[in-house]
Amino acid sequence: MSFRMRILFNDTTRQTGLVTGIGFSALIGNELLFDTGNDGGSLLANMRVLDIDPMEISTVVISHDHWDHTGGLAYLLSVKSGMTVYGCPGFSEELKQTIALEKGNFISSAGYRQIKPGIFLTGEIPADYKGSYLAEQSMVLQSQNGISIVTGCA
């Protein structure tokens, strides 16, 4: 098994025409999005430039509940409702309610779990951000070449 990962949003790019900014988003294959950057309009604009159909995305993994990783989620769900969104139990009620209002299916990922063939989530990893608790998770991709770990703000 192999995986194609494309960076959809970041603070730098080598490709002309892409919007950059604070935040991160990556597409694994054609149907799994890891984080959504800071702005849904920018995320969808970059998808258009990269010829990515947001209607093919069925699953979103959110690494942690900060605006620069979740900012595009509500907009994306307004374009395609019903997506499965994996997050941590420690995420804010505000984010969970936003997902529900936009008709997303929030799945709380407390522990290590497989979500698709060769794709795993670490579950909630306690972190400290400016003296406060931060719920965070990473994604593990297992291929014939070994494993790759995808993180939000490692």
Side-chain angles (χ1 to χ4, degrees), residues 5-55:
M5 184 167 88
R6 293 179 279 176
I7 307 300
L8 303 186
F9 190 84
N10 202 5
D11 62 348
T12 61
T13 183
R14 286 186 261 172
Q15 183 170 337
T16 58
L18 294 179
V19 179
T20 61
I22 297 171
F24 182 73
S25 181
L27 184 66
I28 313 304
N30 292 323
E31 63 180 48
L32 191 149
L33 190 65
F34 184 85
D35 285 345
T36 62
N38 70 14
D39 171 63
S42 298
L43 177 65
L44 273 287
N46 287 354
M47 286 183 181
R48 281 190 295 279
V49 170
L50 296 169
D51 198 28
I52 295 168
D53 182 0
M55 300 310 283

Side-chain angles (χ1 to χ4, degrees), residues 45-67:
N46 287 354
M47 286 183 181
R48 281 190 295 279
V49 170
L50 296 169
D51 198 28
I52 295 168
D53 182 0
M55 300 310 283
E56 289 187 34
I57 299 170
S58 62
T59 306
V60 179
V61 172
I62 299 294
S63 64
H64 63 287
D65 190 358
H66 279 167
W67 66 274

